[in-house]
Amino acid sequence: MSDSPVMRDTAEAVLGLLPTDVQYGDVRVVRRTHEQVLVELDGPGEVGYDDSTGLGLRVLIGGQWGFAATHRLDRRGLDAVVAQAVGQARAAGGGGRVALGSPVTTRDRWSSPMQVDPFTVPLSSKLDLLAAAVKEASTAGPLVQQIEASVDFYRDEKVFANTEGALIEQTLTESGGGLMVNASDGDDLQRRSFPQGVPRQIRGQRGDFATAGYEHVISLGLDREAARIASEAVALLSAPQCPDEITTLIAGSNQLAMVLHECAGHPMEADRALGTEVSLAGGTYATPERRGNFRWGSDIVSAYADATIPGALGSFGYDDEGVPAQRTQLVKDGIFVGYMSGRESAGALGLESTGQAKADGWHRLPLVRMTNICLEPGESSLAEMIAGTKRGIFVDTNRGFSIDDQRMNFRFGTEIGWEIRDGKLGRMLKNCTYQSVTPQFWASLDALGGPDEWKVHGVPSCNKGEPLQVAHVGHGTVPGRFQNVQVGR
């Protein structure tokens, strides 16, 4: 960490300024660097670069929290941030009670693994890679109207310290990239994305991300896949519509990642279950009294959160409360069994934190966030599922979704699909949608891909909270087959 000694000294200085009535305090000093490179069809390359350093301070006085943040790291700035956080907590009047569980006293250093530092790769190399992908995609013909190829790189250098004695230094480096192609014939518009879809309104920041270096971007093969992706966008213009029927649905690993995100990830955040966080993603069906006895899916489905998977986007050494990364079971043999939590939400449930409190930068409070939400693989394969299906559809690459405020009733749309007839893939289908209810949908699951098809998808755009916080999360999934699903409505 290039600024580690200064950041460490700053964190310790802030703690030394806290008054004696502070029951607990923690400080995060963070430097975040972000580089984005974007190339479009018939347009010059664009480069964005941000570098921000600051600190966030939490204090607990009389059972009430105070929080303040600043980018001013001189003595005047430190005095001011302490006064503001302490003033907030005192103004709340006391009388509250916050259980934080076991003290966090760890002293450690941790860095995410990487082979090639993306911030040392010449800009010209990044532009050449993206320009090559755009050129290949443009070979699909004049119906291709828009192409965006982008790469993004993040580095967080963080020092965490608290009044319990913890002092943790971390460096996380994340890399990713992707491609989006829009094709239009004047009457219709179709989109194909690679390696995965993101919301249309997000410019750049698309594709697949990992806690890794530039080697991850090279492994994606954007230039190698661009022509195929663009050709599919053009082919979708003349493809038949997804039928309106109840049928067998096979979802690819990419698509199932987003269903898992919405149906298990957000609902099983402990702060949401306690009603202390309902912004954006709403409430949840996964209420405390249902833990251990709610049938979430069929016997063959189990899901977990794991921040220790090497290279996965949701991995780290310690969360933003100093709790070590760990694996947490969420669903076991179809039964909802556990939550993701931070220290406060876990304490309210009489549990210990699962190490999933994360803040989007130095100026935000830690919230319970997804890490890597994963499905345990099954014993089938995509080929076997298709071969064993007489009639159905295969869908992949998320295009959009809607879900109710309890995370139950949902509707997903995908960029592409294919009909299945007599155990074989048939015609390409466009505008594929499907809808169901979370426990009914997962209860209809009768096959999951095996370990050799298990893949972690890195999603850099998980939204939660007000003010908005964006988390970078991962999803380890396999293809899955679901029976009697309403599609095309």
Side-chain angles (χ1 to χ4, degrees), residues 137-420:
S138 66
T139 62
L143 295 181
V144 172
Q145 301 293 304
Q146 182 183 13
I147 305 171
E148 286 185 8
S150 62
V151 290
D152 285 82
F153 309 101
Y154 296 86
R155 174 161 293 143
D156 277 1
E157 300 171 80
K158 305 195 289 187
V159 173
F160 171 87
N162 68 13
T163 53
E164 297 169 335
L167 181 61
I168 300 169
E169 302 171 56
Q170 291 191 89
T171 302
L172 291 90
T173 302
E174 301 170 346
S175 303
L179 177 73
M180 184 199 73
V181 179
N182 282 330
S184 177
D185 58 7
D187 296 319
D188 192 13
L189 175 69
Q190 292 294 324
R191 182 182 84 192
R192 284 293 287 130
S193 305
F194 177 83
Q196 58 196 19
V198 296
R200 178 67 181 85
Q201 65 271 23
I202 297 180
R203 194 162 186 257
Q205 279 187 286
R206 62 181 74 255
D208 185 70
F209 285 68
T211 303
Y214 195 71
E215 68 277 1
H216 177 69
V217 169
I218 295 300
S219 73
L220 296 176
L222 299 180
D223 51 345
R224 297 191 300 272
E225 299 291 340
R228 174 182 66 84
I229 291 299
S231 295
E232 288 178 352
V234 172
L236 282 167
L237 294 171
S238 57
Q241 293 277 350
C242 176
D244 177 359
E245 62 184 10
I246 295 175
T247 190
T248 299
L249 175 81
I250 299 178
S253 171
N254 187 308
Q255 174 62 19
L256 212 51
M258 295 312 301
V259 185
L260 189 67
H261 182 104
E262 304 298 342
C263 293
H266 279 305
M268 297 177 191
E269 297 162 342
D271 56 350
R272 194 174 304 284
L274 291 167
T276 59
E277 174 56 59
V278 296
S279 176
L280 293 180
T284 179
Y285 61 81
T287 50
E289 70 275 9
R290 284 179 161 175
R291 185 166 64 95
N293 56 54
F294 180 73
R295 171 60 68 177
W296 185 81
S298 66
D299 291 341
I300 68 169
V301 61
S302 294
Y304 58 92
D306 190 352
T308 70
I309 301 171
L313 187 60
S315 294
F316 47 80
Y318 299 87
D319 77 352
D320 286 336
E321 294 181 321
V323 178
Q326 56 198 270
R327 171 171 166 154
T328 304
Q329 199 74 35
L330 303 176
V331 176
K332 184 64 176 175
D333 301 329
I335 303 297
F336 157 55
V337 297
Y339 289 113
M340 295 166 281
S341 64
R343 293 185 68 183
E344 184 176 7
S345 55
L349 293 168
L351 305 170
E352 290 292 328
S353 171
T354 60
Q356 285 151 322
K358 297 293 295 298
D360 182 13
W362 52 267
H363 57 307
R364 296 287 185 253
L365 277 164
L367 301 174
V368 179
R369 302 310 301 261
M370 291 181 237
T371 53
N372 301 301
I373 312 303
C374 304
L375 285 175
E376 295 182 15
E379 299 178 351
S380 187
S381 69
L382 178 59
E384 291 171 345
M385 291 179 219
I386 294 172
T389 300
K390 184 172 181 58
R391 181 182 178 91
I393 66 170
F394 169 58
V395 297
D396 211 5
T397 313
N398 192 61
R399 185 168 185 168
F401 75 96
S402 62
I403 193 166
D404 70 23
D405 62 3
Q406 294 301 301
R407 321 302 290 176
M408 288 286 271
N409 297 278
F410 64 78
R411 183 175 185 269
F412 280 87
T414 67
E415 288 187 0
I416 195 166
W418 290 267
E419 65 181 7
I420 301 173

